[in-house]
Amino acid sequence: MLKRPHLGRAGAGALIAIATLALGQAVAAGTSEPLPLPATSLASLHAPLPTSGRFAQRLPDSPPEAENVAVIPAGRPAIRVPILMYHYIRINPNPGDRLGAAVSVTPADFRLQLDWLAANGYHTVDLEQLRGYLLGHGELPARPVVLTFDDGYRDLYTTAYPILREHDDRAVAYIVSGYLGAPNNVTREQVLEMSQNGIEIASHTVSHADLTTLGAGELARQLVDSRADLERLVGHPVVDFCYPAGRVNETAVRAVAAAGYQTATTTQPGVGHGAGDRLLWTRVRVAGGESVESLARDLGPEEAAVVVTRPSAHPVLRVPSLPVILPLLAPRPGPGPELLGPGLGP
């Protein structure tokens, strides 16, 4: 698998310590608890995924049945959850572009990866759920995995989003707010639609800037303005962030915390996460042409789960009568063709 970290092992360890110190300073300043989750976010921590099957209906008098469910119980201070890093979901338009090929996962490969995750018992969660778990707000399903998409390319909507919907999967989209509506990027309308259908919208700055090169004023603008713009668009807090190209230093970490973000991801490889290092969370890069076997190895050891018994989440089903089915079988328009163009880089 292609790995292109920008920091050495020692540098990554130092920055984790910096992030912990930066968060700890809030305690020294008088805050005895971790940064709070927005109140509007708490209600969605356990929101159910859409049910699959358009023809399913609950029988009116069917009592719930008990079932055994594997979960990661609340209370663990750190857990192993792979955060997968995608960029393009497309066929690379320029075979000579090695960087483009490295960050381009074909639609067929992406569908195969989601099929494999589902067949092997993985459950997609978003950063709100992961953050909520580590801050003490409930449990996670067994084998959780986070799917993240950097930059907000147009194929996020035209290609990745329909495949995610097919699988009833959640995901996180890191959006460069200043590029909304550009020829190769998602539009505001597309972002709003995805936000309403299982895709968490997170910030990736205003213009994909290298935060380590900016003065204090521009650094704050890139972080604050992007967050504010996305919040106005989706109508709720945006508190998750991704460092463009993985470029991060102590100043950037402190600025991200000051801007009100509660998590930030890097391009550093790893699957272990805790609340104390949540401004420097690691990810698993998914490279173009990577086999499912290679991806499986990169997921690392899974977090131990326990089995609990609770009412069934799967109601008894019946098929509606024919007059109900026929309208549902009518062709429905799909998204437009994939638009290809120059990228922003990883």
Side-chain angles (χ1 to χ4, degrees):
M1 167 179 255
L2 178 65
K3 307 280 188 189
R4 299 189 295 114
H6 298 289
L7 300 170
R9 182 178 301 174
L15 282 175
I16 289 175
I18 291 168
T20 305
L21 175 62
L23 293 172
Q25 286 182 341
V27 175
T31 302
S32 60
E33 297 294 332
L35 293 172
L37 281 171
T40 55
S41 300
L42 295 178
S44 61
L45 287 176
H46 301 291
L49 291 174
T51 55
S52 59
R54 286 181 288 145
F55 306 142
Q57 290 185 350
R58 181 188 293 272
L59 284 173
D61 299 320
S62 298
E65 298 178 0
E67 65 178 354
N68 293 328
V69 180
V71 300
I72 300 174
R76 297 178 184 176
I79 55 175
R80 294 184 296 273
V81 178
I83 302 176
L84 304 188
M85 173 175 47
Y86 292 94
H87 289 83
Y88 291 107
I89 305 300
R90 66 174 186 180
I91 297 174
N92 183 36
N94 181 6
D97 179 4
R98 297 181 62 185
L99 176 59
V103 296
S104 298
V105 175
T106 68
D109 283 350
F110 182 58
R111 180 176 277 106
L112 183 63
Q113 290 163 7
L114 296 192
D115 288 343
W116 184 89
L117 290 172
N120 286 273
Y122 284 88
H123 299 87
T124 55
V125 299
D126 57 28
L127 292 176
E128 185 175 24
Q129 291 173 286
L130 178 57
R131 166 169 35 87
Y133 175 88
L134 290 169
L135 294 178
H137 302 290
E139 61 192 23
L140 285 175
R143 294 189 176 181
V145 60
V146 182
L147 311 177
T148 64
F149 297 82
D150 290 15
D151 303 330
Y153 297 120
R154 185 65 61 90
D155 57 63
L156 166 64
Y157 178 80
T158 60
T159 308
Y161 175 54
I163 298 174
L164 290 165
R165 293 295 303 276
E166 290 173 12
H167 290 77
D168 285 340
D169 278 338
R170 299 186 181 200
V172 178
Y174 288 119
I175 301 298
V176 181
S177 63
Y179 293 160
L180 286 169
N184 196 36
N185 291 81
V186 291
T187 67
R188 290 181 173 274
E189 294 76 14
Q190 291 166 348
V191 167
L192 181 58
E193 178 187 336
M194 290 188 291
S195 174
Q196 295 169 344
N197 290 279
I199 310 299
E200 180 192 344
I201 304 303
S203 171
H204 204 34
T205 72
V206 173
S207 62
H208 204 264
D210 179 349
L211 300 185
T212 66
T213 66
L214 304 180
E218 178 62 13
L219 177 57
R221 187 187 77 84
Q222 288 283 339
L223 298 170
V224 174
D225 287 6
S226 174
R227 180 185 175 194
D229 191 10
L230 294 173
E231 287 182 342
R232 284 192 297 269
L233 176 58
V234 300
H236 58 74
V238 172
V239 294
D240 299 300
F241 179 77
C242 176
Y243 300 99
R247 303 288 185 182
V248 56
N249 58 13
E250 178 182 356
T251 302
V253 170
R254 294 182 185 278
V256 166
Y261 294 101
Q262 296 192 12
T263 78
T265 55
T266 70
T267 58
Q268 293 294 303
V271 297
H273 312 292
D277 65 350
R278 67 185 184 274
L279 295 183
L280 284 169
W281 277 350
T282 56
R283 291 191 287 175
V284 175
R285 182 187 294 271
V286 183
E290 181 176 4
S291 68
V292 168
E293 292 78 13
S294 175
L295 176 60
R297 288 192 297 270
D298 287 331
L299 295 180
E302 68 181 77
E303 185 69 22
V306 301
V307 176
V308 297
T309 301
R310 57 184 49 163
S312 174
H314 307 287
V316 178
L317 305 179
R318 65 178 173 86
V319 177
S321 61
L322 190 60
V324 177
I325 292 178
L326 288 177
L328 296 176
L329 296 178
R332 303 197 307 182
E338 176 182 359
L339 302 179
L340 301 177
L344 302 172

